[in-house]
Each structure stands twice: as C-alpha cells, then as structure tokens.
Amino acid sequence: MNRLIAISNRVQAAHGGENSNRGGLAVALSAALRESNGIWFGWSGEQTDEFTGQISFRREAGVATATIDLEAQDVEEYYNGFANRTLWPLFHYRLDLTEIARDFAGGYARVNDRFAETVAPLIEPDDLIWVHDYHLMPLGQRLRERGFENRLGFFLHTPWPPSSLMVSLPGHRELVQSLLSYDVIGFHTDEWRASFIDYITTHLGADMRGEYAHFAGRMTRLLVCPIGLDSTEFMAAQGTPAARAAEERLITSAVGRQVIVGVDRLDYSKGLQERFLAYEQLLTTRPDLREKLFLLQIAPPSRGDVASYQQIRADLNSLSGGINGEFASIDWVPVRYVNKGYAREELFGIYRASRVGLVTPLRDGMNLVAKEYVAAQDPEDPGVLVLSRFAGASVQLDAALIINPHSSEDMADAIARALSMPLEERKERHAAMLKSVVEEDVRWWSARFIAALTEGEPNEDRPPLALASSQP
Ligand code: ADQ
C-alpha cells in the first residue's frame, strides 16, 4: 500500500493520558495511520513569535507525527476566527452565531498556504494525501498549485450546510471550487453529500455523473463514508481495572437509581441546553420518576477562547443549578454535571453503568459517543440509546430511540420509554446497533476511503471536459 500522509489541523496521538479530551478524529486517525505506516502532519497547538515552518518530528502512540507552530495572529484569525467562529457555526446551521470578518478569511488563506508550503518537502510522488476537515478545505488546491499530482482526498467531519446557508459566506464560490481540486471528498451521510451536490450544481455549474462531480476538466468522487469507532480497541476496555472501577463507582454512588448519561464536548451543536430542558420536563411531568434516576452529564470545556463557548458554559451552569435547586432532596442530586474529561477505559465503565445514553445534538456530522455507548453495553442487559435524528449516526444506528432534540416533550417521552423498555426489546435494538458499530468500524471507514483514493486513475489521464461555459 502507498504511504499515507494525513493532514489535519491538530495532531493528537490517540493514547492520551488521564482526562484527555480527544476529538473523534484523533481516535479514528491514529488507528488508520498506525496500519499504513503513515505520517500525520498538522499544527502543534503551540505558538511562535514568527512563523518559521520548522517541523518537529515525533512518534506518538505508534504514529509518526510532523508538526509546525503557528503565530499568534494565525491562531486568532485562522483557528479561533475562520474555523471556530465562521465555519463551525455555519456548518452546524447556526447562522446566528456565524461571525464574518475579512481578517478571519485572510488568516485562513495564509495558514492553508503555510501548511502547503511546509508539508510539500515531505511528499513523495506515490504518497496518498488525506486532508481532514473544514480547517483545511483549500489545502488541496494549494498543493495542486505547487505542482503536486498525487491522489488527494478530503474528508469532512462536520455536516455540509444547505446551499441557502452556504451562500452567506463571502467567497463561498472560491472556497467550494477549491474543494474540487481533490480526487475524493468523503461525507458521513447522504444528506451532507446531497447538500454539497446541490451547491456545486447550482452555484458552480458542476455536472454529476454517478458518484463523480465534473468541473473544469477534473473529476472528484463524492463518497458517503461514515466514520466508525475503533471498536476493537474500545471494547477491549471491558474488564480492565479502570473500566471496572469506574462502573462500580458509578453504580455504588447511584444507590439503586437509574443513570442517564451524556458525554459531549461542551459545544452548542451538541444540544446540551435542550437536553437539560427535556430532563427538567421529565422531572416536572413524571413526579413518579423523581429520586429514581439522575442525569450524569460529562462535558469538558472546549474552545474556551470563543465567546459563544463561554456563553454555553454559563447557560449550562445556570440550567443545572436551577434543576438541582428545584428538585434536589437531602440525598438526591438530579443532575451531576462534570466539566472534565475521562480516560477511555473509565468512559467505557461509565457508559456500561448507565441505563440510558443521551446523544441529542442539534446537528452533528456523525457523533462517535453514540457508537461508544452501544459498544460499551452488556449485550445480555443493554441500556437504551436515545439519539437525535440530526446526528449523522442516526442513519446507521436507526434502532436507537430517535428523537427531535428541539422538542423537550419528545425527548422526555423517549427517556421515560427507555427507562421502562422490556429486556427483550432492549436486546433486539442493541444487537442491531452493535452489528453496525462492529462491522462498520474505523478500519472499515479508513479502508473504504483509502480504497477510493487509491482506485481512481490519475486525473490528468482523463480527457479534459469542456466546462468553461458552466464556470461562474
Ligand atoms: P466531535 O465534535 O469532537 O468530532 P464526537 O464524534 O462526538 O465529536 O467525538 C467526541 C470524542 O471525544 C468521543 O470519542 C468521546 O469519547 C470523546 N470525549 C467527549 N467527551 C469526553 C470526556 N469527557 N472524556 C473523554 N473523552 C471524551 C467531530 C464531529 C463529529 C464526528 C467526529 C469524527 O463533530 O460529528 O463524529 O468529528 O468524524
């Protein structure tokens, strides 16, 4: 197999220590890279006074990494700015939180150039290059401009927004057009891919033939390829001392009460406020359930430099405080709200001890927590997953209780139903979901994407298409 060079904003090896708060990408990519003996290139997370392009090479958790430092202005404009304050909210359908600023766009272009310039000397002619996520959309084009004809793939970990939202972004045409420099673009679901196709056919005049977008003499394969869990590694936590200790600790402290668990990065896309409100609704309308359950919400802060994240933190503090103030008794706290991360084995134990897994984002590319919850259950006595229909995961995990997170009543009903679901139904639903989690795991995902990236013939061998008239 050709060597793989993965490029993403951050490089975080997948065996972080205690309290590591790793995104789904970190967990998934490390597994893919270890198998392909590749290099993972990205930002170190460190700042430097002046950009030098100096690369630090390391080996972390069996993965070769190559990282660069960025200037403070890069971090502010590209990362905190265009990535986290413009694209992230826009791609999660939150136009109300989307901040548009020319400095952000300028910083984004500059850092994508810096990435291209710095990674270029590492690239050999036969390398497959796999770029990840919304931080680095123009990188493929930047590499093409430097003469690289390698097979280039891009995977979008977030949703792709509807065209009516996308056009709110100044420079949207150039940005999307730059994506068509890749040979393969991967999406988690058909829905995100369909939105992308709608944009490129409507606004760029691209032409779809089967899975291929044809534009300006190039072809790009648009692949639906849902990311999976490293289920083998995650399920190996079963029976480890750390998993058992976490499970027992939670069960002991629950004193016979049912545990409803949520595990999320503290992010407005995850629907945490709505979740708390639904839980409040449940306690209000079902007084018989009070004292018989509690909600354990684990949500380590993320992107604390961005105001909207400070706001959500304040909102959740106030909501959880309000619910506890209203309903708690001397020996019952209805919401346990924990702002820290846990090691993978501990998370496994926490999921396993919980009768209900609440995964209720307002919008989520995939959501790996849903898959982790399923993987951690005891198949003989599994808990129930309550899952938002707006998470990409709901396509594969359709045996969950699928809810609309905007409706507190829907969600409260689903929690109540989950709590009283008969064992046979729980087992049936769980078995269907576990099959998908195990069969369509992270190895399946990366193998599918890499096969698509490897398979295609070089683009320059294809007859150029006369699309000039359909260009904007
Ligand atoms: P994220 O938005 O980060 O990823 P998600 O898929 O839910 O979301 O992954 C979160 C990961 O972080 C999970 O593996 C989870 O276990 C871990 N995590 C969360 N809270 C934790 C805690 N308290 N302690 C330890 N670990 C914790 C983006 C997209 C998603 C997409 C992934 C992968 O937004 O939609 O599923 O990329 O493509």
Side-chain angles (χ1 to χ4, degrees):
M1 186 194 141
N2 299 27
R3 188 173 73 145
L4 177 69
I5 298 193
I7 309 178
S8 64
N9 171 55
R10 287 297 303 278
V11 169
Q12 295 159 292
H15 288 287
E18 294 277 307
N19 303 334
S20 62
N21 172 25
R22 292 167 282 125
L25 175 61
V27 175
L29 252 192
S30 294
L33 280 166
R34 249 180 258 126
E35 280 174 14
S36 73
N37 238 339
I39 305 181
W40 189 354
F41 180 89
W43 172 37
S44 60
E46 300 296 324
Q47 294 184 20
T48 177
D49 288 342
E50 201 174 329
F51 181 75
T52 61
Q54 193 185 332
I55 304 177
S56 305
F57 292 96
R58 286 209 179 76
R59 184 161 279 276
E60 294 176 45
V63 177
T65 63
T67 56
I68 51 170
D69 301 344
L70 292 175
E71 287 173 17
Q73 192 183 350
D74 293 337
V75 176
E76 196 44 39
E77 294 174 351
Y78 147 82
Y79 181 67
N80 289 330
F82 203 73
N84 287 342
R85 288 160 68 180
T86 307
L87 292 177
W88 178 269
L90 179 66
F91 279 31
H92 289 87
Y93 299 42
R94 294 298 300 267
L95 206 47
D96 57 323
L97 298 176
T98 302
E99 296 177 51
I100 306 286
R102 288 185 185 152
D103 288 353
F104 292 177
Y108 185 71
R110 184 176 63 247
V111 170
N112 271 272
D113 259 331
R114 289 183 162 171
F115 265 60
E117 195 60 39
T118 323
V119 76
L122 303 184
I123 300 174
E124 306 280 345
D126 288 338
D127 288 344
L128 300 173
I129 300 172
W130 188 2
V131 177
H132 289 264
D133 234 358
Y134 57 99
H135 311 84
L136 299 172
M137 289 191 278
L139 183 58
Q141 188 183 44
R142 299 291 191 274
L143 290 171
R144 293 274 183 242
E145 286 162 4
R146 285 166 173 79
F148 288 98
E149 280 304 324
N150 298 58
R151 295 283 296 172
L152 285 181
F154 176 83
F155 192 86
L156 181 69
H157 290 263
T158 66
W160 183 271
S163 302
S164 53
L165 295 180
M166 193 63 204
V167 294
S168 316
L169 183 72
H172 55 90
R173 263 207 187 79
E174 292 71 21
L175 185 65
V176 183
Q177 206 168 306
S178 73
L179 277 171
L180 296 174
S181 296
Y182 290 98
D183 297 297
V184 181
I185 302 178
F187 302 88
H188 289 303
T189 67
D190 241 338
E191 188 181 352
W192 316 144
R193 186 178 72 151
S195 297
F196 184 78
I197 292 175
D198 179 68
Y199 181 94
I200 59 168
T201 51
T202 311
H203 295 275
L204 297 182
D207 183 22
M208 285 304 296
R209 294 183 212 157
E211 279 195 322
Y212 288 85
H214 291 246
F215 179 72
R218 292 199 64 85
M219 313 183 14
T220 300
R221 183 165 175 195
L222 305 182
L223 189 72
V224 173
C225 187
I227 200 168
L229 191 63
D230 189 349
S231 46
T232 313
E233 185 195 44
F234 193 65
M235 290 167 83
Q238 193 195 330
T240 59
R244 280 224 309 274
E247 185 181 354
E248 278 161 22
R249 190 170 166 201
L250 186 51
I251 290 173
T252 307
S253 77
V255 286
R257 295 180 171 120
Q258 308 257 38
V259 185
I260 303 168
V261 75
V263 174
D264 309 77
R265 270 190 312 104
L266 221 162
D267 191 293
Y268 46 79
S269 67
K270 303 292 181 187
L272 292 162
Q273 287 106 316
E274 289 75 6
R275 189 178 305 169
F276 280 14
L277 289 170
Y279 180 62
E280 184 176 39
Q281 166 89 14
L282 179 73
L283 296 180
T284 306
T285 55
R286 291 287 307 269
D288 56 308
L289 290 178
R290 291 179 204 162
E291 311 242 358
K292 297 199 175 77
L293 46 73
F294 64 90
L295 171 63
L296 169 63
Q297 178 61 56
I298 298 174
S302 68
R303 305 176 191 171
D305 294 342
V306 178
S308 47
Y309 288 78
Q310 294 156 9
Q311 184 60 47
I312 178 191
R313 199 166 180 192
D315 289 352
L316 291 173
N317 285 343
S318 137
L319 271 171
S320 57
I323 297 171
N324 283 339
E326 187 176 348
F327 295 102
S329 61
I330 49 167
D331 62 353
W332 176 55
V333 180
V335 182
R336 296 187 191 176
Y337 176 43
V338 183
N339 282 140
K340 65 174 216 170
Y342 286 89
R344 312 272 314 145
E345 290 82 6
E346 290 177 300
L347 272 188
F348 184 98
I350 291 168
Y351 291 135
R352 199 171 173 95
S354 302
R355 170 47 57 88
V356 181
L358 267 187
V359 180
T360 60
L362 303 180
R363 209 47 78 169
D364 215 330
M366 171 53 66
N367 195 299
L368 289 173
V369 169
K371 296 186 173 182
E372 290 167 3
Y373 179 76
V374 169
Q377 297 309 301
D378 173 359
E380 295 309 314
D381 185 18
V384 179
L385 177 65
V386 173
L387 180 60
S388 164
R389 56 168 298 203
F390 302 119
S394 67
V395 176
Q396 290 163 297
L397 304 182
D398 58 353
L401 291 183
I402 305 289
I403 52 98
N404 172 1
H406 298 285
S407 164
S408 300
E409 289 157 329
D410 246 35
M411 216 190 302
D413 286 352
I415 299 169
R417 184 171 165 206
L419 288 166
S420 62
M421 189 180 282
L423 178 63
E424 274 318 302
E425 184 179 351
R426 281 191 277 129
K427 280 166 76 170
E428 234 168 73
R429 287 175 180 272
H430 175 258
M433 292 191 286
L434 187 64
K435 185 170 177 338
S436 142
V437 168
V438 169
E439 286 177 5
E440 295 170 355
D441 70 350
V442 72
R443 284 174 183 79
W444 172 87
W445 169 73
S446 56
R448 246 168 76 93
F449 190 90
I450 291 167
L453 193 55
T454 314
E455 264 164 26
E457 297 153 34
N459 238 310
E460 68 267 24
D461 287 348
R462 298 176 191 279
L465 296 160
L467 280 181
S469 60
S470 58
Q471 287 180 48

